[in-house]
Amino acid sequence: MDQREEQEFAEYFAARREAVRRMAYMMCGDWHRADDLAQTAFIALHRHWRKVRDKGALDAYVRRTLTRAVIDESRRPWRRERSTEVLPDAPEVSGEVANAVATRQTLLAGLRKVPPKQRAVLVLRFLEGLDVAGVAEVMKCSEGTVKSQCARGLTALREALGDELGDLRSAL
């Protein structure tokens, strides 16, 4: 960009900065994020300044760029998290529900410690309800392999769970 174009961009930026920032805030609801989004829009405009033929359409270009930036940011996984000043109240759950949740979390934590092939056999066999032949078909192995992997997986799960296995023994 030459000096004249740089000056034109600087004048446009100074004149429209706050309006674009407010528009970004209205789209996202967070001033810090709005600053980032407005900056993204102005960077894109600066990059394409020479290619813009109709300087009267700059607002439309920035608006479109800003809208796309907001949508792109909302698709990013870390933008789905919401911070709050006050934590929400914990839901009141009955004893049965709390025990079921604790049992499920304990089981999942124990399964993460079991080797992958054994874990797959245990999940297919006991959580999905397949018989030995069905698991063998899914895993493309013999029924004997399924039985041995199941036995080893149960042993590994028992070791992983240790004393917390009490309620789970009856389920498995």
Side-chain angles (χ1 to χ4, degrees):
M1 253 205 277
D2 64 14
Q3 191 67 21
R4 181 185 56 80
E5 290 172 330
E6 195 68 46
Q7 182 63 32
E8 287 175 355
F9 176 79
E11 289 171 4
Y12 178 79
F13 175 76
R16 299 298 298 157
R17 177 183 53 207
E18 285 304 313
V20 172
R21 183 174 177 254
R22 280 192 305 272
M23 186 179 359
Y25 174 76
M26 296 304 290
M27 289 183 182
C28 72
D30 179 353
W31 283 112
H32 298 290
R33 220 170 124 212
D35 289 335
D36 293 343
L37 294 166
Q39 181 179 5
T40 300
F42 280 118
I43 288 171
L45 176 63
H46 187 268
R47 227 176 323 172
H48 297 100
W49 187 261
R50 284 187 170 177
K51 296 177 185 176
V52 177
R53 292 187 196 126
D54 183 10
K55 299 297 185 194
L58 289 174
D59 286 343
Y61 181 84
V62 170
R63 192 171 28 256
R64 184 177 65 232
T65 305
L66 180 64
T67 302
R68 288 180 178 167
V70 169
I71 291 169
D72 288 346
E73 281 291 309
S74 70
R75 290 180 178 151
R76 296 204 166 102
W78 61 85
R79 292 292 183 204
R80 293 185 197 123
E81 297 176 5
R82 299 283 183 234
S83 59
T84 60
E85 292 291 326
V86 179
L87 292 175
D89 294 336
E92 294 181 26
V93 289
S94 67
E96 282 183 36
V97 173
N99 288 338
V101 169
T103 303
R104 183 174 176 7
Q105 289 174 343
T106 303
L107 177 61
L108 292 174
L111 278 173
R112 279 189 224 106
K113 297 175 185 176
V114 175
K117 193 171 183 180
Q118 295 171 5
R119 182 181 331 134
V121 168
L122 292 177
V123 168
L124 290 170
R125 182 80 174 93
F126 298 108
L127 298 178
E128 292 297 318
L130 295 178
D131 60 358
V132 174
V135 175
E137 184 179 324
V138 169
M139 296 189 67
K140 297 190 187 318
C141 63
S142 70
E143 291 183 17
T145 301
V146 171
K147 291 176 185 177
S148 66
Q149 290 294 312
C150 185
R152 290 183 186 132
L154 286 172
T155 302
L157 183 60
R158 284 185 188 107
E159 289 174 6
L161 295 176
D163 295 333
E164 299 174 17
L165 187 64
D167 295 334
L168 293 177
R169 285 193 182 170
S170 60
L172 296 177

